[in-house]
Coordinates of all heavy atoms in Angstrom, one line a residue:
A31 N 25.0 83.1 117.1 CA 26.2 82.7 117.8 C 27.1 81.9 116.8 O 26.5 81.2 115.9 CB 26.0 81.9 119.0
I32 N 28.4 82.0 116.8 CA 29.3 81.4 115.8 C 29.1 79.9 115.8 O 29.2 79.3 114.7 CB 30.7 81.8 116.1 CG1 30.9 83.3 115.8 CG2 31.7 81.0 115.2 CD1 32.2 83.9 116.1
G33 N 28.8 79.3 116.9 CA 28.6 77.8 116.9 C 27.5 77.4 116.0 O 27.5 76.2 115.5
Q103 N 34.9 95.2 116.0 CA 36.3 95.0 116.2 C 37.1 96.3 115.9 O 38.3 96.4 116.1 CB 36.9 93.9 115.4 CG 36.2 92.5 115.7 CD 36.7 91.4 114.8 OE1 37.2 90.4 115.2 NE2 36.5 91.6 113.5
L115 N 30.7 88.7 114.7 CA 31.2 88.0 113.5 C 30.2 87.1 112.8 O 30.5 86.4 111.9 CB 32.4 87.1 113.9 CG 33.6 87.9 114.5 CD1 34.7 86.9 114.9 CD2 34.1 88.9 113.5
V260 N 36.5 80.7 112.3 CA 36.7 79.4 113.0 C 35.4 79.1 113.7 O 34.9 79.9 114.5 CB 37.8 79.5 114.1 CG1 37.9 78.2 114.9 CG2 39.2 79.9 113.4
T261 N 34.8 78.0 113.3 CA 33.5 77.7 113.9 C 33.6 76.6 115.0 O 32.6 76.3 115.7 CB 32.5 77.2 112.8 OG1 33.1 76.1 112.1 CG2 32.2 78.3 111.8
A262 N 34.8 76.0 115.1 CA 35.1 75.1 116.3 C 36.6 75.1 116.4 O 37.3 75.0 115.4 CB 34.6 73.7 116.0
P263 N 37.2 75.2 117.6 CA 36.4 75.4 118.9 C 35.9 76.8 119.0 O 36.3 77.7 118.2 CB 37.5 75.1 120.0 CG 38.8 75.5 119.3 CD 38.6 75.2 117.8
L264 N 35.1 77.0 120.0 CA 34.5 78.4 120.2 C 35.3 79.1 121.3 O 36.0 78.5 122.1 CB 33.0 78.2 120.6 CG 32.2 77.6 119.6 CD1 30.8 77.2 120.1 CD2 32.1 78.4 118.3
E265 N 35.1 80.4 121.4 CA 35.8 81.3 122.3 C 35.6 80.7 123.8 O 34.5 80.2 124.1 CB 35.1 82.7 122.3 CG 35.7 83.8 123.1 CD 37.1 84.2 122.7 OE1 37.5 83.9 121.5 OE2 37.8 84.8 123.5
S266 N 36.7 80.7 124.6 CA 36.7 80.2 125.9 C 36.7 78.7 126.0 O 36.3 78.1 127.0 CB 35.6 80.8 126.8 OG 35.5 82.2 126.7
F267 N 37.2 78.0 124.9 CA 37.2 76.6 124.9 C 38.3 76.1 125.9 O 39.2 76.8 126.3 CB 37.5 76.0 123.5 CG 38.9 76.4 123.0 CD1 39.9 75.4 123.1 CD2 39.2 77.6 122.4 CE1 41.2 75.7 122.7 CE2 40.4 77.9 121.9 CZ 41.5 76.9 122.1
T268 N 38.1 74.8 126.3 CA 39.1 74.2 127.1 C 39.5 72.9 126.5 O 38.7 72.2 125.9 CB 38.7 73.9 128.6 OG1 37.5 73.1 128.5 CG2 38.4 75.2 129.3
V330 N 45.8 79.7 125.4 CA 46.1 79.6 124.0 C 45.2 80.4 123.2 O 44.0 80.5 123.5 CB 46.2 78.1 123.6 CG1 44.8 77.5 123.7 CG2 46.7 77.9 122.2
T331 N 45.7 81.0 122.1 CA 44.8 81.6 121.1 C 45.0 81.0 119.8 O 46.2 81.0 119.3 CB 45.1 83.1 121.1 OG1 44.8 83.7 122.4 CG2 44.2 83.8 120.1
I332 N 44.0 80.6 119.2 CA 44.1 80.1 117.8 C 43.8 81.2 116.9 O 42.9 82.0 117.1 CB 43.0 78.9 117.5 CG1 43.5 77.7 118.4 CG2 43.0 78.5 116.1 CD1 42.5 76.7 118.5
M333 N 44.7 81.4 115.9 CA 44.5 82.5 114.9 C 44.3 81.8 113.5 O 45.0 80.9 113.2 CB 45.7 83.4 114.9 CG 45.9 84.1 116.2 SD 47.6 84.8 116.4 CE 47.4 86.2 115.3
H361 N 40.9 86.0 112.5 CA 40.0 85.6 113.6 C 40.8 84.9 114.7 O 41.6 84.0 114.4 CB 39.0 84.6 113.0 CG 37.9 84.2 114.0 ND1 37.1 83.1 113.9 CD2 37.5 84.9 115.2 CE1 36.3 83.1 114.9 NE2 36.5 84.1 115.7
R362 N 40.6 85.4 115.9 CA 41.3 84.8 117.1 C 40.3 84.2 118.0 O 39.2 84.7 118.3 CB 42.0 86.0 117.9 CG 43.1 86.7 117.2 CD 43.5 87.9 118.0 NE 44.6 88.7 117.5 CZ 44.4 89.6 116.5 NH1 43.2 89.8 116.0 NH2 45.4 90.3 116.1
V363 N 40.6 83.0 118.4 CA 39.7 82.2 119.4 C 40.6 81.8 120.6 O 41.6 81.1 120.4 CB 39.1 81.0 118.7 CG1 38.2 80.3 119.7 CG2 38.4 81.4 117.4
A364 N 40.2 82.4 121.7 CA 41.0 82.2 122.9 C 40.5 81.0 123.8 O 39.3 80.9 123.9 CB 41.1 83.4 123.8
G365 N 41.4 80.2 124.3 CA 41.0 79.1 125.2 C 42.0 78.8 126.2 O 43.0 79.5 126.4
M366 N 41.8 77.6 126.9 CA 42.7 77.2 127.9 C 43.1 75.8 127.8 O 42.3 74.9 127.6 CB 42.0 77.5 129.3 CG 42.9 77.3 130.5 SD 44.3 78.3 130.6 CE 43.6 79.9 131.0

Side-chain angles (χ1 to χ4, degrees):
I32 291 175
Q103 301 175 122
L115 300 176
V260 175
T261 54
L264 298 171
E265 187 67 19
S266 308
F267 68 95
T268 56
V330 64
T331 298
I332 293 171
M333 296 164 74
H361 187 200
R362 295 173 180 79
V363 183
M366 188 57 78

